Amino acid sequence: MYTSQGKMARPEPTDLLKEYAPLVRRLALQLIAKLPASVDLDDLIQAGMMGLLDAGVRYQDDQGAKFETYASQRIRGAMLDELRANDWVSRGLRQSSRSVAKAVHAQEQKLGRAPNEGEIAQELQLPLAAYQHLLQEIHGCQLVYYEDFDRNEQENSFLDRQARGESDVPGHSDGPLDQLLESGLRDRLVEAIEAIPERERLLLSLYYEQELNLREIGAVMEVSQSRVCQLHSQAINRLRALMVEHL
């Protein structure tokens, strides 16, 4: 893919797709693991392929980044654009997710400890089965973004900046993770993780540290894949409630 002058030659689209198709699929699988079941993997892969082709056209090898690094950003950006365009999470589901987090927080204040599922369902005035169904529905729409702690309603601002590779602070090139680490929120997040029930801490460790998929986590924890979705949603909402309380 390089010329005799050491410059990256412009690859043919078919060659580009063939060489980097595994990268697109891997990024799509990483993303869809955090999304509701209604999101179609093939749609994400197709959007990622368009992002890959766009990267092939735009990439300049004097930008200081390897092509795979640059392409990964464009691929993710294209997938996020596809999700936004298809309204992958309705406003109603977002509101439901926030309601769960508020219920968790309210019960923690009343009880002085992490509430169990029945107590959270009671705060929401829902039967336990209905609450567990809600957890499964909102799986993937309640990830803890920095903007969760902002009191505005710009719901896609984090995704927009991630897709463009922009910083949260004007004049700085660091990404959102760097800003998170510098602000001290990392330490608060560690404290919040330590405060949730052990079973949910294990799930988060398997999911985010060991990078197991839902089926594999279910096998380790001896529960169904749908139950893993429920527990994951509940764990994230516990973290959201604790982080908002800290701030």
Side-chain angles (χ1 to χ4, degrees), residues 26-42:
R26 184 170 72 249
L27 293 174
L29 288 170
Q30 290 174 355
L31 184 56
I32 205 167
K34 302 176 177 66
L35 300 173
S38 58
V39 179
D40 186 76
L41 176 62
D42 289 339

Side-chain angles (χ1 to χ4, degrees), residues 79-95:
M79 291 177 182
L80 294 174
D81 286 342
E82 174 70 13
L83 292 172
R84 281 194 297 267
N86 288 282
D87 192 20
W88 64 279
V89 174
S90 69
R91 183 172 294 273
L93 278 183
R94 291 184 187 276
Q95 291 173 344

Side-chain angles (χ1 to χ4, degrees), residues 146-182:
Y146 185 87
E147 275 64 21
D148 282 342
F149 313 122
D150 193 351
R151 296 302 187 266
N152 60 48
E153 291 297 322
Q154 296 177 353
E155 297 194 14
N156 282 326
S157 55
F158 177 86
L159 294 181
D160 290 334
R161 284 199 294 277
Q162 282 289 81
R164 295 193 299 265
E166 295 179 3
S167 169
D168 287 314
V169 178
H172 290 260
S173 59
D174 292 338
L177 179 59
D178 298 297
Q179 298 303 320
L180 180 69
L181 296 176
E182 289 177 5

Side-chain angles (χ1 to χ4, degrees), residues 32-74:
I32 205 167
K34 302 176 177 66
L35 300 173
S38 58
V39 179
D40 186 76
L41 176 62
D42 289 339
D43 289 344
L44 281 186
I45 291 176
Q46 184 176 4
M49 290 296 189
M50 297 304 295
L52 173 61
L53 291 175
D54 183 56
V57 172
R58 295 174 180 268
Y59 179 73
Q60 300 292 329
D61 61 355
D62 58 358
Q63 293 176 331
K66 294 181 179 179
F67 176 74
E68 183 169 331
T69 302
Y70 177 79
S72 294
Q73 293 177 345
R74 304 299 302 186

Side-chain angles (χ1 to χ4, degrees), residues 67-127:
F67 176 74
E68 183 169 331
T69 302
Y70 177 79
S72 294
Q73 293 177 345
R74 304 299 302 186
I75 292 166
R76 288 192 189 97
M79 291 177 182
L80 294 174
D81 286 342
E82 174 70 13
L83 292 172
R84 281 194 297 267
N86 288 282
D87 192 20
W88 64 279
V89 174
S90 69
R91 183 172 294 273
L93 278 183
R94 291 184 187 276
Q95 291 173 344
S96 294
S97 178
R98 293 190 180 103
S99 295
V100 171
K102 289 177 182 178
V104 171
H105 179 69
Q107 288 289 57
E108 284 174 346
Q109 295 299 306
K110 291 177 186 177
L111 303 171
R113 58 170 173 78
N116 60 39
E117 285 181 289
E119 291 162 342
I120 299 170
Q122 182 180 18
E123 180 68 25
L124 290 166
Q125 299 182 344
L126 291 174

Side-chain angles (χ1 to χ4, degrees), residues 197-210:
E198 182 179 357
R199 186 175 177 82
E200 293 174 20
R201 286 203 307 273
L202 171 61
L203 188 154
L204 294 180
S205 175
L206 294 173
Y207 193 74
Y208 293 105
E209 293 182 32
Q210 304 301 320

